[in-house]
Amino acid sequence: MSEADHEISRRELIASSAFVPLAALTCSSAAHAQTPAAHATETALSPAQMKILEAVVDRLIPRDELGPSAAEAGAPIYIDRALTGPNAGEKQTFVDGLAALDAFANSSQGASFTDLSPERRDAVLTAMDNGTATGFANSQQFFNRVRRLTLEGMFGDPFYGGNRNFAGWDLLRYPGPRLVVGPEEQRMDKLPEPYRRSAYGPQYGH
Amino acid sequence: MAIKLKPVDVAIVGLGAAGGMAVLPLARAGLKVAGIEAGGWLDPHRDYHADEIHNNVRMLVTSVSKTKNEVPTFRTSPEQRASRATSNRTMMNAVGGTTTHYDANSWRFAPWDFKIRTDSVGRYGAAALPRGSTVEDWPLTYDELEPYYDTVEYEIGVSGKAGNIQGEINPLGNVFEGPRRREYPMPPLRDTGFTSLMTSAAGKLGWNGHRSPAAINSQPYAGRSACAYHGYCDTGGCHLGAKNSTAVTTIPQALKTRNLTVVDHAHVTRILSDGQGRVTGVQYLRGGKEYFQPAKVVLLGCYTYENARLLLLSKSKAYPKGLANNHGQVGRHYIAHWDGREISGLFPFELNIWYGALAQGVVVNNWADDNFDHSGLGFIGGASLTVNHELHPIAAAAMPLFSRAPSWGSRWKRFVNQNAGRWVGVYAQCTSLPYENTYLDLDPEAKDPLGDPVCRITSGSKENEPRARLYVASRAEEWLRAAGATDVIKQPLSSEGPNQSWHAIGGTRMGENPETNVVDKWGFSHEAPNLGVLGGSVMGTHGARNPTLTIQALAWRTADHLIRNWKSITG
């Protein structure tokens, strides 16, 4: 098959809407269609939902002497963008989970989650974590999902909106992606200097 | 009506680890080959990123469209309704196939792997064979495959240290390996603080710790760059072409002969056969049109699930139960490799394994194969144990807690701050056998968007592999502690084995007996004489090591057999 044939068939494929399901099958890697997450303007969560999420992730990874909290590092932005694009399929479950969380905060602690003291917020999250919280489809599953997405936001590349100022990588003492790694950087007696840079360029992460 | 194309000598379905290897000897021999691949050419700049979210979380390199729609279903007994398996992380469509994203560990299987049945009965008696196992000896020996291992190692470029050159043993390499004719084409990947630590810890225990063989250039090789050790090539791809993928090694070489045509973005739907039972060619969809590619010989070279599925879907008058399936063996003897990283150790010092490649590791083979006395142990086989570089930050933050911290909050934060760079998991790969209760067929309900059933995995309970895993977990703990680990944690395993594995094999097993095997000792169908099968699906047992080099050596051998017997095979 020559290059020219390939081009023709690609054009045909685009032109013919009747073949859309087939096009989805035979088209190239999903990677090609990836929207640059950092440029998204659409949001999945409402301002009120974002406030709850920020309060939750800030108990999972709080601000302390070791550095910024998950919300300060932008983890909720990562989560919101994920739910807008690549994880859109779980958006509804996530929104329902946040609503159940706030309802459970009200029923068990007598106030909305964001109005509770840190200790009472922890009591809500602990009940979700051990599966005793009520009013959820599955509180443990939702808790684990929030925790997992928080890790992705906090410790993933800042290109995606989290890990601001490389707070996550600094916390782990992960030295950051480098294009070339020499023998000096693979020793055990001396750790590599942190290279605070996104894999997508110096414009991300600040 | 399908558009009929000009006939070719050989149509190969799938240009991955296996098909992408077979094209080279065939094209060099002057045969006209059409390589029909569901994916396209990947572009290192556009498609590969040093980004854990891109590669590992969202799996944007591996989970491309066709395979995403064909994730097998899974159940643990024939009474159950199967549900969608958790992921299809291994299968992928691209020129280069799974070698795009594999970690490039490039092992030869041990001589013992080829004759497990005979050797186990001979040493331990007939009762040593696991209950319900359908294990047979391979229809070839290690010595018969050795020349092809050698050819492939030099063709793709493997870095490593030989442990046995024509009987001369060198403890810097794997002393248990079968004799090889010569040294690896390149020395092992870079030694690091961590690899030195783990090699000497193995030595303290009296074990043979040695470096992983890797199809990654430790120095410039065949016009391709040396590894830059930045990592992110596992589940990703190599920016530099330093890691083998058939898209950068054998396929470009085959294209140079002008005898290979790569047909990309082509979804093969059926292999057709005539009333005499000979295959006539391949039907595929491309760019919204249906084509028929006539061929004198068809070589099926997809991932294990798709090899079995495509045969079962290709029914005809001569093959009412699916192509090459008149003996009902397609899908039988399926094996998901028992491999995993369930044993982790916590150290009181930094390991600095952030960078480098997964294949930049240290391996112990003392507890693999029949390298130790199994009397009274209740299992045969064992596992290779590997520790390696390339730790990504999200995975590090999700580290095991060793009962030392809660999983969130300030105490957790302090724990990962201290320990994210101080732990490592041991990767154990276990000898894995075929069983009566473990097989592939077509799912009666789940379908792909074309309406074709997806593959269904049935995987019943086993005794041998869980016992072996339990045993080697203790050896892994000894190794970690000898290296200085203060805490070791072991996660439990199920008795059915993995749902899907990175290493899925079997389903079109190779063997002399047509009653129990789909292909003969050369990889050609016992029923359709001009149909060959390439890939892990022909393997009858899984050794305690990564399968790709063996898959590639077998593919080269099948191609070589075809060239030598062209007249008799094409009739």
Side-chain angles (χ1 to χ4, degrees), chain A residues 1 12 19 25 28-29 32 60 62 64 67-68 86 129 147 160 171 173-174 176 178 181 185-187 200, chain B residues 46-47 51 64 69 190 193 228 230 232 261 265 288-289 350 352 355 360 407-410 413 417-418:
Chain A
M1 196 70 55
E12 284 167 353
F19 288 110
L25 281 173
S28 55
S29 158
H32 307 174
L60 301 182
D64 57 20
D129 188 12
R147 179 172 175 269
Y160 299 94
L171 176 67
R173 285 174 289 136
Y174 167 60
R178 282 167 152 83
V181 171
E185 285 142 347
Q186 291 201 301
R187 287 166 56 164
Y200 298 91
Chain B
R46 181 192 59 195
D47 299 318
D51 174 3
V64 289
N69 292 321
R190 177 193 292 156
H230 61 294
Y232 292 99
T261 306
H265 300 294
K289 289 185 178 161
E350 298 288 328
N352 192 18
Y355 296 125
Q360 194 181 12
S407 62
W408 53 278
S410 263
K413 201 175 169 188
N417 170 252
Q418 192 174 15

Side-chain angles (χ1 to χ4, degrees), chain B residues 162-171 174-175 177-180:
Chain B
N164 181 346
I165 299 177
Q166 296 174 44
E168 198 172 311
I169 304 298
N170 185 336
N174 174 14
V175 300
E177 72 176 351
R180 56 173 65 241

